[in-house]
Amino acid sequence: MSAAPPRSPLVLSFAAETPRAVVLLLHGGREHGTSTPPPWNLPGLRMRPFAHAIGRAYGTRGVAVGRVRYRCRGWNGEREDAARDARRALDELAPRIGDAPVVLVGHSMGARAALSAAGHPSVRAVVGLAPWCPTGEPVAQLRDRGVVLLHGDRDGTTDPAQSAEYVARATAAGATAGLVPMSGSGHAMLRNAPAWHALTTATVGGLLELGPLPDEVARSLDARPAA
């Protein structure tokens, strides 16, 4: 009996027949862990409101929304499992969408994976939510990409100061990068959750040129604020 083929890392939940753009969501995970995430895991569920908000806002305008499915729960050091899955998903998606741009939206470990995979030719921009940005993380792949990081000022899991340092290095590497503080919010994005959903959705739309960037995002990118 032949072995079953590996399952696809790409899941499209709101799919336009011929998309003008794609938004892929990447949920959080653990520093270490090689077990397969269960279908209904909490980090994945946390991203569902973002997927629904983006789909409602832009689905009728030709934007497909999907997610990256991980093989492992953890990042796992030099294996960088989540980033490898993100790249596999982008490779699988590319022949289906042609020149349509992709925006990656990731939380915590998912943001780290999105930033790492952003050098893929399909990627236009990354929105990182409470991102995990270790000191010394590579940034050269972000050249000519948009990078917007949203980080709660009460996050006790990932460090907003590391996000600020990452944005500075990404900008020096040629990215258009900015950091927006989320006042009163922690890592799980539960406090002020509607603000996270709304700002992320509007930011995605601005990065895809489907509307103006939110004022706070435009200011963080040193761009002209929306009128």
Side-chain angles (χ1 to χ4, degrees), residues 127-222:
V127 181
L129 313 175
W132 178 20
C133 298
T135 300
E137 194 79 347
V139 294
Q141 75 280 4
L142 299 173
R143 183 176 181 84
D144 298 327
R145 270 56 172 180
V147 176
V148 178
L149 304 185
L150 312 182
H151 213 139
D153 58 5
R154 296 187 180 181
D155 194 324
T157 302
T158 56
D159 188 352
Q162 287 186 321
S163 287
E165 188 265 345
Y166 186 90
V167 162
R169 292 194 303 112
T171 300
T176 302
L179 171 65
V180 178
M182 301 295 286
S183 179
S185 291
H187 191 69
M189 308 181 294
L190 297 176
R191 181 172 292 185
N192 304 322
W196 283 89
H197 304 154
L199 185 57
T200 300
T201 299
T203 299
V204 166
L207 292 168
L208 290 173
E209 301 178 353
L210 299 175
L213 284 167
D215 287 349
E216 58 268 62
V217 173
R219 287 192 294 267
S220 79
L221 297 173
D222 197 25

Side-chain angles (χ1 to χ4, degrees), residues 20-23 54 58 61-64 100-104 122 124-125 201-211 213:
R20 63 183 292 181
V22 178
V23 179
I54 294 167
Y58 308 118
R61 301 177 68 180
V63 176
V102 177
V103 173
L104 302 175
S122 297
R124 174 180 291 184
T201 299
T203 299
V204 166
L207 292 168
L208 290 173
E209 301 178 353
L210 299 175
L213 284 167

